[in-house]
């Protein structure tokens, strides 16, 4: 039996922010795999609240590269699409800059990790926009920006043969009030569902 390290690279959603026990979908995935196949996997969640794709690229070098990762799960991007208070205000990162950092990250990950799987950005609850964070700043997210960004990431992954898992269109049809704590972060029910879907996708892809 081969021992493999699974790591996640993402933002507050991947980090389990606002989950009831802060384990998130990655922690639930780890718990399930540890129960089904004891001592077959090690787990490292290298995600950080507030991270953008530029932060993820640097975190990859600082944290992922030191862990000899066999399977890297990347789920990040919503913070790249922040608009300040108004729907027509500029994006936090331009499409060109986003592509630059995604290209760097995907090339480095493909070269240094055995398997890489990228997950799309989930929808937000637009009826709660703009939202006010703990620092008092108002922020605005648009689902149309998310759809466009998901397509951009999908194209970059396809050019490298890296699997890109789309979940957005199924999630937008759900009652997000049941699965979200706030405008964008999943609650316990949301993370439980995400963990189940990630497990199935990784199984289908033959990653686990």
């Amino acid at each position: 039996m081969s021992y493999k390290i699974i790591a996640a690279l993402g933002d507050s959603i991947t980090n389990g922010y606002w989950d009831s026990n802060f384990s998130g979908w990655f922690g639930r995935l780890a718990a399930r795999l540890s129960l089904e196949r004891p001592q077959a996997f090690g787990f490292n969640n290298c995600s950080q609240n507030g991270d953008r794709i530029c932060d993820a690229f640097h975190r990859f070098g600082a944290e992922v590269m030191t862990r000899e990762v066999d399977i890297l799960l990347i789920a990040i991007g919503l913070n790249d699409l922040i608009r300040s208070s108004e729907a027509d205000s500029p994006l936090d990162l331009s499409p060109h800059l986003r592509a630059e950092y995604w290209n760097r990250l995907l090339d480095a990950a493909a070269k240094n990790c055995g398997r890489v799987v990228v997950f799309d950005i989930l929808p937000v609850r637009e009826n709660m926009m703009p939202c006010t964070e703990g620092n008092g700043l108002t922020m605005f997210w648009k689902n149309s920006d998310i759809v466009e960004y998901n397509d951009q990431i999908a194209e970059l992954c396809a050019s490298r043969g890296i699997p890109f898992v789309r979940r957005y269109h199924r999630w937008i049809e759900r009652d997000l009030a049941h699965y979200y704590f706030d405008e964008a972060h999943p609650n316990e029910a949301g993370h439980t569902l995400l963990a189940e879907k990630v497990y199935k996708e990784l199984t289908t892809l033959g990653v686990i």
Side-chain angles (χ1 to χ4, degrees), residues 56-182:
F57 169 70
H58 294 292
R59 195 173 300 284
F60 176 85
E63 298 187 29
V64 176
M65 285 290 291
T66 63
R67 290 171 166 80
E68 299 183 355
V69 171
D70 299 288
I71 302 168
L72 177 62
L73 312 180
I74 303 175
I76 196 167
L78 185 60
N79 292 318
D80 302 341
L81 302 175
I82 292 175
R83 296 178 184 269
S84 57
S85 69
E86 299 294 337
D88 59 351
S89 60
L91 289 167
D92 195 53
L93 292 179
S94 69
H96 175 78
L97 187 57
R98 295 187 323 233
E100 179 69 24
Y101 277 105
W102 271 105
N103 281 322
R104 294 182 184 184
L105 175 59
L106 293 175
D107 286 344
K111 181 178 180 180
N112 293 283
C113 301
R115 296 291 301 271
V116 180
V117 181
V118 179
F119 294 86
D120 69 353
I121 307 167
L122 297 173
V124 296
R125 298 169 66 188
E126 286 191 334
N127 63 311
M128 299 184 71
M129 297 297 142
C131 60
T132 302
E133 295 300 299
N135 56 11
L137 299 177
T138 57
M139 299 189 299
F140 206 107
W141 281 292
K142 294 166 57 178
N143 282 323
S144 58
D145 290 336
I146 295 175
V147 171
E148 180 180 344
Y149 195 11
N150 280 335
D151 288 342
Q152 181 186 24
I153 301 170
E155 183 176 347
L156 296 173
C157 289
S159 67
R160 295 167 171 80
I162 294 175
F164 180 73
V165 179
R166 288 187 180 271
R167 307 161 298 174
Y168 176 93
H169 293 293
R170 290 185 179 179
W171 275 78
I172 197 68
E173 295 175 353
R174 292 188 168 100
D175 178 7
L176 296 182
H178 176 70
Y179 293 102
Y180 280 25
F181 174 85
D182 54 16

Side-chain angles (χ1 to χ4, degrees), residues 12-32 45 181 186-193 195:
S12 57
I13 296 173
T14 311
N15 197 27
Y17 193 71
W18 287 122
D19 183 17
S20 58
N21 60 11
F22 285 91
S23 64
W25 63 262
F26 186 75
R28 286 170 168 77
L29 175 69
R32 178 171 182 174
N45 195 342
F181 174 85
N187 57 18
E188 181 179 357
H191 280 290
T192 299
L193 181 58

Side-chain angles (χ1 to χ4, degrees), residues 25-63:
W25 63 262
F26 186 75
R28 286 170 168 77
L29 175 69
R32 178 171 182 174
L33 289 175
S34 296
L35 182 63
E36 293 180 352
R37 284 178 265 178
Q39 300 181 344
F41 298 101
F43 303 90
N44 286 286
N45 195 342
C46 302
S47 305
Q48 179 61 47
N49 303 345
D51 268 10
R52 301 163 296 167
I53 185 57
C54 51
D55 304 306
F57 169 70
H58 294 292
R59 195 173 300 284
F60 176 85
E63 298 187 29

